[in-house]
Amino acid sequence: MDYFLTEEQQMIVDIASQVTDERIIPQRAELDENHTFPREILNEMAQADLFGIPIPEAYGGFGGGCMDIVLAVEQIGRGDVAVGTAFAANFLGSFPIMLSGSEEQKNKYLPEVASGRKFAAFGLTEANAGSDASGIQTTAVLDGDEWVINGTKQWITNGGEADIYSVVAITDRARGPRGASIFILEKGDPGFTFGPKEKKMGIRASSTTELIFKDCRIPKDRIVGRAGTGFITVMKTLDISRPGIASLAVGLAQGALDEAVPYAKQRRQFGKPIIAFQAVQHLLADMAIGIESSRALVYATARHIDAHPKNVSRVSAMCKTCATDMAMKVTTDAVQVMGGYGYMCDYPVEKMMRDAKILQIYEGSNQIQRNVIGQELNREYS
Amino acid sequence: MKIIVCIKQVPDVTEVHLDPETNTMTREGVSAIMNPYDQHALEEAVRLREKLGGGEVTALTMGPPQAEGMLRDAVALGADRVVLVSDRAFAGSDTWATSYTLEHAINALGGADLILCGKQAIDGDTAQVGPGMAARLGIPFVTCVQKVREVDESRLVVERMMDDGYDVLAVKLPALLTVVKNINEPRVPSLKGKMKAKKVEIERLNAETIAAKADCIGLPGSPTQVAKVFAPEARGKRIELQGTLEEQLAQLAVKLVELARGQEVR
Ligand SMILES: Cc1cc2nc3c(=O)[nH]c(=O)nc-3n(C[C@H](O)[C@H](O)[C@H](O)COP(=O)(O)OP(=O)(O)OC[C@H]3O[C@@H](n4cnc5c(N)ncnc54)[C@H](O)[C@@H]3O)c2cc1C
Ligand SMILES: Cc1cc2nc3c(=O)[nH]c(=O)nc-3n(C[C@H](O)[C@H](O)[C@H](O)COP(=O)(O)OP(=O)(O)OC[C@H]3O[C@@H](n4cnc5c(N)ncnc54)[C@H](O)[C@@H]3O)c2cc1C
């Protein structure tokens, strides 16, 4: 379908799809099997300026919007959601600085992210704070000219690989949600270490670790925005980053369809190619319907966000939920179409099915997204 | 350092076939691409510029106006300047006339410290143009370079791929190198490069501006004539050996001896 992309957006698609076809697809099975962080591929993407897409031109980026991000991420997701997750986490890690950082912080960190010289990460989740961020126990206490951070973040994408971490910590417990703040942590800060790489069901090439802070002292000016504004920035960050997860889902599902259709044309049973069976055709048709409708919703949401309306939580939640549930179904059906061969590691669809699951969980589970949508509906019709 | 990379537009061979009736190449609808070896030459030039922390990479092609698209691609891949040498008078150039024309173009551009070419073009396949230019320019050349080991403003140390290993050669600048594919992995074009490519001004040269003599270019300047182009007939003779590996090897040895003696092998 023609989505009326600008010439520049088409360039983004072309570059990202070239990276996927030439670099990611040939390596993805091996990266997954060995749990290898795809640093070389990410460096290549940085060289092609993909890391700079949302970063303003004044800080060495391309000055693009949400639509530009989803176009790039969709293509990378078509190749490998693990690479796509590692890539998108850079945006997640740098949005707080872009949204609420000081001029000095922007000048110091954004050009490094835009060029890909340094990777970024986002640390919110803890062992007792998943869907419910009010359970955060990590604290930051001002001591003279330094903040002292204590606590442990869990399951942080790009942990150990990134240089710049946007970390949420409690600065004033008495104030509840208004007592959280975001800090910029740098790899190498004294008292900041990493847990081992987690072993995962899918997206195995991405790195997921704990961030451990033991009397970690950082300069006073590493706080992002005013103390107590952390959750507001977190919500704004997730609102604009969720369409990125949705576009990973669209890309992933497209990748699965791209495997399933040629297979169904070539696989013969009962004397005909299995695509001749209407039951198989209908599976494929439903996959295509799901992909195209999710893509249309993701693009529409991204363009809506780029127009800077006041509240984007609901649409952002809708596109994330719709596209990631679709990707889970489409990748499962791709395995079904390919039968036992699809279940074997010789074909990429089993990995796609494993990778799809995370999309329904991270950046706010799909249940939590439905809560957001439901609560807004409740308010709207009151 | 001033580096000129000679790039040629070639038909995408994956789409070309010979028409068995007429024995000519069907070029219709076949897209044109940058000669794959030349992509590696361009990548190496950009890497040298990055390594030296400065300099200028110029991509140069002789070809029809349609070659502009390829020159824009070269900018997206890192070329600073792009030059199209184009003139009806160049039509029908063989390798002799091509190297004459490119040499004159390079001189018109004020020369270069280093000239990079592909090892060969995948259509003409002669591998003559690079060495031909170097001979005309009176500069040293190294063919089939697989690695540039050292570089400074006055000389290079390179590895030349050989059948049984490689040679290590030092070469004084200015010089010309032709490169093989394992010298590097060409990068993916960058977003900023593509934006620049859209706007870049393509510099144009013609027979007059490069001061070419009329009898040295195009068909009149080309001593080689193509007498016939044809697809070699499939020989069709296949022998399948049977038995254990040892038995097959013994049979093979006998057949090779027969072949060597010029006997008919059955
Ligand atoms: C591979 C991976 C990478 C990650 N990367 C990051 C990262 O980079 N940064 C980061 O900060 N976090 C990251 N996370 C954490 C992720 O965002 C959380 O896992 C997610 O928010 C869900 O939290 P939880 O896993 O603790 O689930 P829980 O909150 O314990 O939820 C368990 C189940 O209960 C449901 N549930 C919970 N509350 C409700 C409710 N009120 N109504 C309905 N259902 C509910 C959930 O939907 C879920 O199905 C990552 C996680 C993984 C697995
Ligand atoms: C016998 C013969 C007759 C021919 N007759 C004709 C003819 O009548 N009409 C016709 O159109 N063609 C003709 N050609 C083709 C034409 O001469 C060659 O394509 C051209 O000279 C380049 O030679 P090549 O392709 O073998 O390149 P090679 O020598 O294999 O190329 C080596 C390198 O030289 C550089 N290079 C080569 N050509 C160019 C270029 N044009 N611009 C910039 N860099 C370049 C590139 O870096 C390339 O990698 C003929 C070729 C032969 C062998």
Side-chain angles (χ1 to χ4, degrees):
Chain A
M1 211 190 301
D2 188 346
Y3 287 102
F4 303 100
L5 303 186
T6 64
E7 203 178 341
E8 283 158 17
Q9 286 169 340
Q10 191 58 48
M11 285 178 190
I12 291 175
V13 172
D14 291 345
I15 291 171
S17 82
Q18 189 177 345
V19 171
T20 283
D21 293 332
E22 292 179 7
R23 306 292 205 267
I24 299 177
I25 290 179
Q27 291 185 59
R28 64 184 171 193
E30 208 185 315
L31 292 172
D32 182 67
E33 198 172 323
N34 302 328
H35 301 209
T36 314
F37 185 73
R39 188 163 280 274
E40 251 178 62
I41 293 173
L42 292 167
N43 284 342
E44 185 97 23
M45 289 163 63
Q47 175 283 124
D49 299 327
L50 296 179
F51 278 62
I53 288 176
I55 309 234
E57 282 172 278
Y59 308 106
F62 171 74
C66 193
M67 183 64 184
D68 303 292
I69 294 177
V70 301
L71 290 171
V73 171
E74 177 186 345
Q75 289 307 317
I76 304 301
R78 180 169 63 78
D80 188 345
V81 171
V83 178
T85 297
F87 173 53
N90 281 281
F91 302 143
L92 191 61
S94 39
F95 282 148
I97 304 176
M98 268 189 269
L99 291 168
S100 310
S102 67
E103 198 50 40
E104 289 74 31
Q105 287 167 344
K106 290 180 185 172
N107 275 319
K108 179 166 178 201
Y109 296 106
L110 296 183
E112 304 268 38
V113 178
S115 66
R117 278 190 299 274
K118 293 193 169 158
F119 295 160
F122 179 74
L124 173 66
T125 305
E126 298 181 6
N128 295 316
S131 300
D132 180 7
S134 71
I136 289 183
Q137 270 144 27
T138 297
T139 55
V141 177
L142 194 60
D143 177 26
D145 280 343
E146 289 176 330
W147 289 99
V148 185
I149 311 220
N150 276 292
T152 300
K153 293 287 163 185
Q154 175 174 273
W155 302 336
I156 304 309
T157 298
N158 287 351
E161 302 289 347
D163 300 284
I164 302 165
Y165 297 80
S166 292
V167 172
V168 183
I170 303 298
T171 40
D172 185 353
R173 186 162 309 282
R175 298 194 63 201
R178 297 196 179 280
S181 308
I182 300 181
F183 296 88
I184 304 170
L185 272 293
E186 294 180 16
K187 189 178 184 173
D189 280 335
F192 176 18
T193 55
F194 305 97
K197 252 174 112 163
E198 303 287 350
K199 295 204 175 77
K200 307 191 289 287
M201 171 183 183
I203 60 164
R204 292 181 171 166
S206 76
S207 161
T208 316
T209 72
E210 284 179 345
L211 313 180
I212 303 163
F213 306 104
K214 278 205 184 110
D215 290 327
C216 169
R217 303 185 82 90
I218 53 170
K220 201 171 148 187
D221 62 6
R222 294 272 198 86
I223 190 166
V224 179
R226 277 182 296 111
T229 59
F231 276 137
I232 299 171
T233 302
V234 165
M235 293 308 146
K236 282 191 192 158
T237 292
L238 292 172
D239 278 350
I240 55 174
S241 78
R242 278 191 194 108
I245 302 304
S247 63
L248 270 181
V250 172
L252 169 64
Q254 183 67 53
L257 185 68
D258 291 346
E259 295 293 329
V261 177
Y263 181 87
K265 287 169 71 104
Q266 153 267 311
R267 172 70 175 170
R268 295 179 74 86
Q269 289 292 285
F270 302 98
K272 353 174 146 147
I274 59 168
I275 202 167
F277 303 118
Q278 204 174 52
V280 172
Q281 275 185 22
H282 282 190
L283 266 180
L284 294 170
D286 284 339
M287 289 161 76
I289 294 166
I291 294 167
E292 208 56 64
S293 47
S294 287
R295 181 180 285 126
L297 178 59
V298 175
Y299 289 1
T301 306
R303 285 173 164 151
H304 176 69
I305 289 175
D306 286 340
H308 303 293
K310 215 164 152 230
N311 183 354
V312 298
S313 297
R314 188 202 315 194
V315 285
S316 167
M318 288 200 298
C319 84
K320 195 262 181 184
T321 310
C322 172
T324 60
D325 284 351
M326 176 282 293
M328 191 69 246
K329 180 165 192 317
V330 165
T331 53
T332 307
D333 288 346
V335 173
Q336 193 65 25
V337 166
M338 296 174 66
Y341 289 99
Y343 197 75
M344 296 296 141
C345 296
D346 306 326
Y347 286 89
V349 289
E350 62 81 25
K351 170 184 179 298
M352 293 174 171
M353 184 175 160
R354 284 188 283 114
D355 288 353
K357 190 68 212 171
I358 189 59
L359 301 171
Q360 296 177 301
I361 298 173
Y362 66 12
E363 293 210 17
S365 73
N366 285 6
Q367 285 73 31
I368 296 298
Q369 304 309 310
R370 287 185 167 89
N371 289 353
V372 169
I373 300 161
Q375 282 152 13
E376 284 216 13
L377 286 174
N378 191 19
R379 259 199 302 277
E380 187 180 324
Y381 287 85
S382 63
Chain B
M1 183 180 292
K2 231 180 121 179
I3 307 174
I4 292 181
V5 188
C6 297
I7 61 175
K8 183 184 179 189
Q9 203 181 28
V10 296
D12 190 343
V13 280
T14 54
E15 297 174 17
V16 173
H17 18 243
L18 279 183
D19 182 332
E21 303 258 295
T22 60
N23 269 330
T24 53
M25 270 203 257
T26 53
R27 289 193 183 230
E28 248 141 78
V30 174
S31 54
I33 57 168
M34 188 187 305
N35 180 38
Y37 290 96
D38 303 355
Q39 290 179 25
H40 294 265
L42 176 60
E43 174 67 26
E44 198 59 25
V46 174
R47 288 188 190 191
L48 287 172
R49 184 191 63 203
E50 287 169 353
K51 198 163 158 186
L52 292 166
E56 185 187 67
V57 174
T58 303
L60 168 67
T61 191
M62 174 187 109
Q66 296 91 290
E68 275 190 11
M70 175 190 66
L71 288 173
R72 289 191 192 279
D73 290 346
V75 173
L77 291 165
D80 302 297
R81 284 173 70 185
V82 285
V83 182
L84 174 65
V85 199
S86 193
D87 202 308
R88 296 194 89 95
F90 297 146
S93 295
D94 67 1
T95 58
W96 200 94
T98 301
S99 54
Y100 173 91
T101 307
L102 289 172
E103 177 236 354
H104 273 62
I106 289 168
N107 284 332
L109 293 170
D113 302 305
L114 179 63
I115 299 164
L116 294 180
C117 292
K119 169 177 157 252
Q120 68 201 70
I122 57 165
D123 55 348
D125 245 350
T126 66
Q128 291 172 1
V129 172
M133 274 191 285
R136 290 172 186 280
L137 288 159
I139 60 173
F141 69 89
V142 183
T143 55
C144 300
V145 171
Q146 62 173 22
K147 186 172 184 164
V148 177
R149 284 194 176 183
E150 290 168 35
V151 51
D152 62 43
E153 297 293 327
S154 63
R155 69 169 213 156
L156 298 175
V157 179
V158 300
E159 290 178 12
R160 173 169 62 193
M161 189 171 86
M162 305 295 285
D163 285 339
D164 53 352
Y166 60 84
D167 295 337
V168 179
L169 301 165
V171 56
K172 269 209 194 113
L173 297 178
L176 182 144
L177 310 179
T178 78
V179 309
V180 293
K181 286 185 182 176
N182 48 348
I183 190 166
N184 57 40
E185 171 125 30
R187 69 193 61 196
V188 172
S190 71
L191 200 47
K192 283 181 193 153
K194 280 202 178 224
M195 309 274 284
K196 195 174 150 204
K198 218 172 63 172
K199 290 182 229 138
V200 76
E201 195 195 325
I202 293 173
E203 298 170 49
R204 284 157 218 280
L205 296 173
N206 57 33
E208 198 188 320
T209 51
I210 65 169
K213 288 200 204 116
D215 56 352
C216 293
I217 55 172
L219 215 44
S222 297
T224 37
Q225 299 286 321
V226 179
K228 187 180 171 195
V229 178
F230 62 96
E233 233 169 79
R235 296 236 182 79
K237 180 149 184 180
R238 269 174 62 210
I239 302 168
E240 208 174 309
L241 304 177
Q242 307 278 353
T244 65
L245 185 63
E246 281 74 19
E247 286 164 1
Q248 290 184 42
L249 285 172
Q251 292 171 41
L252 179 66
V254 172
K255 295 197 189 297
L256 287 174
V257 171
E258 285 174 1
L259 251 184
R261 292 197 180 127
Q263 292 165 349
E264 174 149 4
V265 179
R266 267 162 295 140

